Amino acid sequence: MARFLVTGGAGFIGSNFVHYTVEHTGAHVTVLDKLTYAGSRASLAGLPEDRVTFVQGDVCDGELVDGLVADADAVIHYAAESHNDNSLRDPRPFLDTNVIGTYTLLEAVRRHDARYHHISTDEVYGDLELDDPARFTETTPYNPSSPYSSTKGASDLLVRAWARSFGIRATISNCSNNYGPRQHVEKFIPRQITNVLDGMRAKLYGTGENVRDWIHADDHSSAVLAVLERGRIGETYLIGADGELSNREVLRRILLSMGCDEDDFDHVTDRPGHDLRYAIDSSRLRSELGWEPAYRDFDAGLEATIAWYRENEGWWRPQKAQTEADYRRQGQ
Ligand code: NAD
Ligand code: DAU
């Protein structure tokens, strides 16, 4: 049985990967997660105890990380500070977790010759004009905009350097915007859904013309498994499902689906440096590894996500008041 060490496995995408792996493979998963404000043990509820072990700890803790990597066949590194708005308020934790945390894992991987897969983001490539026919590919130059995306870019470059200089067996994937259950209410889609459920108005940054390329978190997980199983060592794979939509359009669909008028929202202060458009060309992943997304109908995935938040108030309620208080302080 393969032994996976999944960092950040109590977060949104990491927990999705743990559920997906338990369901679709025979691997044993050890989760290493610090349980920051973004992590929740409840996101791992219902998983069989003989398949999943939970360890609370910091990816910057060299001794702890060394022991866990020594016992793993593969390390899948999701743990990160993940929210752009937080990185604009206080960048320091992003440098610690995203850069030093990755460095700490890479050194342990080097000592123990574990297979390493690095989870990254399309934001490392900066942004595109709305009318640009181009999409990001594996050779697009790095050009990150925010403290968050610059620390993710830095961590990608560390992985590339450790692969070339020390021969670690690494792959990297850069994925577009994920949606689905168990996403923190600070993020765009869950924030609007829970605002409506709470009788508050939805909040759109700036004009709402910004475009994001949406993919269901299950499809992200199936792509990561494909890279782990069949990806070429040393390669980068872009993960995306052709899901480009403007924020205004996503909000319109949420509002209509929840029985509101499509104008039931406030325009709020825009994010400084707000990236205009992300778009992924995932041809390499599809042609080399035969991967295809299972979720091709965004509206159906969105409906299921809205239903999940309706039915799981106990999961998101503890996050909501603090998140909205932080947004209010910056006029958002
Ligand atoms: P998240 O914020 O929901 O979860 C992050 C998890 O990491 C939390 O459980 C948190 O407790 C844990 N964590 C934070 N600092 C830690 C530390 N120092 N040590 C151990 N654990 C720590 O994030 P997410 O949205 O699930 O993103 C997961 C990964 O996927 C990140 O690397 C992110 O850059 C990447 N990614 C996210 C998206 C997206 O749309 N959300 C898209 C592409 C890539
Ligand atoms: O592209 C991948 C990235 O997607 C990941 O690397 C990040 O970890 C993840 O958080 C996400 O980044 P974004 O900044 O695109 O996601 P966010 O959910 O914060 O915002 C999505 C868009 O919605 C963005 O254009 C800002 C806008 N927005 C956000 C919020 C919270 C609003 O208009 N209103 C809001 O209330």
Side-chain angles (χ1 to χ4, degrees):
M1 182 196 284
R3 298 164 304 164
F4 288 177
L5 175 63
V6 177
T7 71
F12 166 45
I13 310 180
S15 66
N16 184 286
F17 180 78
V18 177
H19 284 273
Y20 197 91
T21 298
V22 167
E23 197 179 327
H24 292 92
T25 77
H28 179 275
V29 179
T30 297
V31 170
L32 170 61
D33 197 295
K34 190 178 175 181
L35 295 182
T36 66
Y37 79 96
S40 167
R41 282 301 305 264
S43 295
L44 297 169
L47 289 164
E49 282 178 20
D50 59 339
R51 296 285 306 282
V52 180
T53 304
F54 181 80
V55 177
Q56 182 170 2
D58 192 330
V59 287
C60 301
D61 179 341
E63 205 175 323
L64 174 65
V65 163
D66 189 75
L68 294 172
V69 172
D71 286 339
D73 300 310
V75 177
I76 304 98
H77 179 34
Y78 285 88
E81 287 292 338
S82 70
H83 194 40
N84 277 297
D85 294 320
N86 292 345
S87 81
L88 294 161
R89 284 180 207 132
D90 180 14
R92 178 61 197 243
F94 290 74
L95 288 153
D96 291 338
T97 292
N98 301 1
V99 182
I100 301 299
T102 299
Y103 156 77
T104 306
L105 277 164
L106 289 172
E107 284 292 83
V109 162
R110 174 153 87 105
R111 279 192 292 275
H112 298 290
D113 189 30
R115 169 82 168 84
Y116 177 84
H117 182 70
H118 187 69
I119 302 294
S120 193
T121 168
D122 58 0
E123 294 193 19
V124 299
Y125 302 114
D127 60 356
L128 297 162
E129 293 300 325
L130 293 178
D131 59 357
D132 189 339
R135 297 189 290 171
F136 299 137
T137 72
E138 285 79 2
T139 56
T140 302
Y142 275 41
N143 186 28
S145 312
S146 73
Y148 161 68
S149 54
S150 63
T151 58
K152 291 298 291 187
S155 70
D156 293 9
L157 298 183
L158 293 179
V159 177
R160 291 183 181 189
W162 261 243
R164 175 155 173 170
S165 302
F166 305 123
I168 66 163
R169 293 177 294 130
T171 42
I172 300 176
S173 55
N174 298 77
C175 189
S176 61
N177 284 63
N178 286 220
Y179 73 97
R182 300 186 292 267
Q183 185 171 28
H184 195 280
V185 299
E186 69 191 355
K187 302 297 195 310
F188 178 55
I189 289 179
R191 185 182 185 205
Q192 314 315 326
I193 296 171
T194 53
N195 272 9
V196 173
L197 292 176
D198 262 356
M200 289 155 46
R201 282 169 72 80
K203 309 287 182 197
L204 189 67
Y205 292 177
T207 60
E209 66 183 338
N210 309 65
V211 168
R212 296 295 182 265
D213 188 352
W214 294 99
I215 181 172
H216 194 280
D218 280 2
D219 283 334
H220 189 175
S221 294
S222 69
V224 169
L225 273 181
V227 175
L228 265 177
E229 287 163 2
R230 306 189 292 283
R232 280 183 293 144
I233 297 301
E235 282 301 334
T236 291
Y237 293 87
L238 262 55
I239 304 176
D242 301 331
E244 281 187 71
L245 285 171
S246 72
N247 294 339
R248 176 71 190 86
E249 177 57 22
V250 171
L251 183 55
R252 193 181 73 83
R253 295 186 194 192
I254 292 171
L255 291 170
L256 292 179
S257 160
M258 297 186 75
C260 305
D261 190 273
E262 66 176 88
D263 295 322
D264 280 349
F265 70 90
D266 296 328
H267 284 283
V268 294
T269 309
D270 205 354
R271 175 184 285 170
H274 196 174
D275 278 339
L276 192 50
R277 171 175 163 244
Y278 306 139
I280 288 264
D281 176 348
S282 57
S283 303
R284 173 182 282 177
L285 178 70
R286 294 176 194 234
S287 61
E288 263 187 33
L289 306 186
W291 176 85
E292 289 292 335
Y295 288 78
R296 292 165 189 281
D297 180 348
F298 178 76
D299 289 332
L302 186 61
E303 285 293 337
T305 303
I306 292 170
W308 190 87
Y309 282 91
R310 271 194 209 286
E311 289 156 18
N312 290 276
E313 181 176 345
W315 183 91
W316 58 265
R317 176 58 62 199
Q319 308 167 356
K320 189 64 181 167
Q322 184 64 53
T323 301
E324 288 306 317
D326 290 342
Y327 276 129
R328 256 194 312 278
R329 267 197 295 278
Q330 32 188 73
Q332 293 178 321

